[in-house]
């Protein structure tokens, strides 16, 4: 490789920059080579007692996870699901197979990972039904209100937010910034369900993905309105390590999740 790859330091053998670049590719090659010597087991979901660890965002937990649990209780009643938050998991955990898969919105993800899109989602607004701006809801009335910011940072530990952090506020505020506008954020949360509860307060608006808003369409205290300006849709993705690409049980669960994702979004369009 024209590089020593490993250098002895006071902390032991340390990988060089070239070794770090090669690691994902080497892992993928080794994972494929292992398949030559491992017999292909038949995975029987109805009899399996396997534990699947899945990292899910708050968004995915609210919109997708209930459907996964319902299907598994019917098809694989003894399978155990362990759902972790993005703050619980690192890309290294996934790369090494300690976490089976992640369901989230990824801005950046290691190139060696496999991934598939589950759906794309627009944005809607939740506000108190008695809020006067619920009638004739437009951009001016939207900006006249006080707002709940809700999002989830990426993998690893998140950081605190302030209304001045336009570069880190996300899709909604970036869209407003491009129009030369901004909203009056009074509350920050990382949980969509908390945002929906807080939106019941008079004068507060939560701008959330439409699939989240649909969960509250029968709430007698909340009104659901389409966002009054264009926001780039978000994409929910399923990602996993190449180490698990050929695992029969993993293949079965991946296919089930992708199928459910398509069913959910198809129902939303009806």
């Amino acid at each position: 490789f024209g590089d020593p790859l490993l250098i002895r330091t006071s902390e032991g053998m340390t990988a060089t920059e070239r070794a770090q670049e090669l690691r994902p590719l080497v892992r993928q090659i080794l994972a494929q080579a292992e398949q030559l010597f491992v017999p292909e087991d038949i995975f029987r979901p109805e009899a399996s007692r396997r534990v699947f660890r899945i990292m899910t965002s708050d968004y995915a937990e609210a919109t997708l996870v209930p459907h996964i649990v319902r299907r598994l209780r019917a098809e694989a009643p003894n399978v155990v699901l362990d759902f972790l938050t993005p703050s619980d998991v690192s890309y290294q955990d996934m790369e090494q197979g300690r976490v089976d898969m992640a369901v989230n919105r990824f801005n950046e993800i290691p190139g060696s990972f496999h991934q598939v899109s589950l759906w794309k989602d627009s944005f809607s607004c939740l506000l108190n039904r008695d809020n006067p701006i619920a009638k004739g809801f437009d951009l001016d009335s939207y900006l006249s209100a006080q707002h709940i910011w809700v999002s989830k940072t990426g993998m690893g530990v998140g950081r605190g937010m302030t209304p001045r952090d336009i570069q880190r506020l996300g899709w909604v505020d970036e869209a407003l910034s491009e129009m030369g506008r901004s909203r009056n954020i009074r509350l920050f949360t990382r949980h969509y369900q908390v945002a929906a509860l807080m939106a019941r307060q008079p004068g507060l608006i939560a701008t959330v993905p439409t699939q989240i808003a649909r969960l509250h369409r029968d709430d007698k205290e909340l009104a659901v309105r389409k966002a009054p300006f264009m926001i780039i849709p978000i994409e929910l993705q399923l990602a996993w390590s190449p180490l698990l690409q050929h695992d029969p049980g993993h293949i079965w669960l991946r296919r089930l999740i992708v199928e459910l994702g398509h069913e959910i979004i198809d129902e939303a369009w009806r």
Side-chain angles (χ1 to χ4, degrees):
F1 295 101
D3 187 284
L5 298 184
L6 294 172
I7 300 294
R8 188 180 300 279
T9 68
S10 59
E11 297 180 354
M13 300 300 289
T14 301
T16 65
E17 183 176 352
R18 177 59 173 156
Q20 295 287 2
E21 293 173 354
L22 290 170
R23 182 166 61 176
L25 180 59
V26 171
R27 284 191 180 278
Q28 186 172 3
I29 292 170
L30 288 175
Q32 292 171 346
E34 286 176 0
Q35 297 305 312
L36 297 174
F37 305 102
V38 178
E40 185 176 354
D41 296 327
I42 297 175
F43 179 77
R44 297 187 345 204
E46 69 280 1
S48 176
R49 295 182 176 274
R50 181 166 171 175
V51 177
F52 288 99
R53 290 185 171 83
I54 307 174
M55 186 281 281
T56 56
S57 63
D58 178 54
Y59 169 66
E61 260 192 334
T63 58
L64 177 63
V65 166
H67 298 269
I68 296 174
V69 172
R70 189 178 302 115
R71 280 285 295 271
L72 261 64
R73 285 179 62 83
E75 300 179 19
N78 296 313
V79 162
V80 176
L81 297 176
D82 181 11
F83 291 105
L84 302 99
T85 72
S87 298
D88 298 328
V89 177
S90 68
Y91 283 126
Q92 187 177 21
D93 292 328
M94 287 186 58
E95 182 183 52
Q96 296 179 359
R98 291 195 290 265
V99 175
D100 288 282
M101 58 190 73
V103 185
N104 203 351
R105 310 181 309 273
F106 300 104
N107 293 329
E108 296 180 359
I109 192 169
S112 62
F113 282 26
H114 297 278
Q115 56 184 308
V116 63
S117 177
L118 297 179
W119 67 63
K120 290 186 178 181
D121 200 359
S122 60
F123 283 83
S124 295
C125 299
L126 295 173
L127 62 161
N128 189 292
R129 284 187 183 273
D130 295 329
N131 192 326
I133 68 173
K135 297 179 181 179
F137 190 65
D138 58 16
L139 179 60
D140 288 336
S141 57
Y142 175 89
L143 294 176
S144 71
Q146 295 183 339
H147 292 263
I148 304 163
W149 178 95
V150 55
S151 187
K152 187 67 179 177
T153 53
M155 308 274 278
V157 178
R159 294 181 292 174
M161 300 292 294
T162 74
R164 297 185 299 276
D165 291 331
I166 295 297
Q167 298 301 318
R168 295 196 293 124
L169 287 177
W171 298 275
V172 176
D173 297 281
E174 287 175 3
L176 286 171
S177 180
E178 289 179 2
M179 296 188 294
R181 312 295 290 271
S182 63
R183 57 180 177 164
N184 180 14
I185 301 173
R186 308 304 299 168
L187 177 65
F188 290 91
T189 180
R190 276 70 179 170
H191 303 282
Y192 285 111
Q193 299 296 46
V194 171
L197 289 172
M198 294 301 100
R200 296 179 180 182
Q201 300 287 335
L204 286 176
I205 295 178
T207 306
V208 299
T210 299
Q211 287 299 313
I212 291 288
R214 290 183 74 248
L215 299 176
H216 302 277
R217 60 188 182 275
D218 296 325
D219 190 316
K220 295 180 180 179
E221 295 187 47
L222 288 175
V224 179
R225 297 290 183 269
K226 181 180 178 181
F229 55 100
M230 176 60 190
I231 307 172
I232 296 175
I234 62 171
E235 184 175 16
L236 186 66
Q237 295 171 293
L238 174 68
W240 63 94
S241 167
L243 291 175
L244 296 167
Q245 170 70 1
H246 303 288
D247 180 282
H250 203 271
I251 293 171
W252 170 80
L253 183 57
R254 292 197 312 259
R255 288 175 176 170
L256 182 144
I257 292 175
V258 171
E259 178 184 329
L260 286 172
H262 293 167
E263 289 179 1
I264 291 167
I265 206 66
D266 286 346
E267 180 183 350
W269 282 102
R270 290 174 189 166

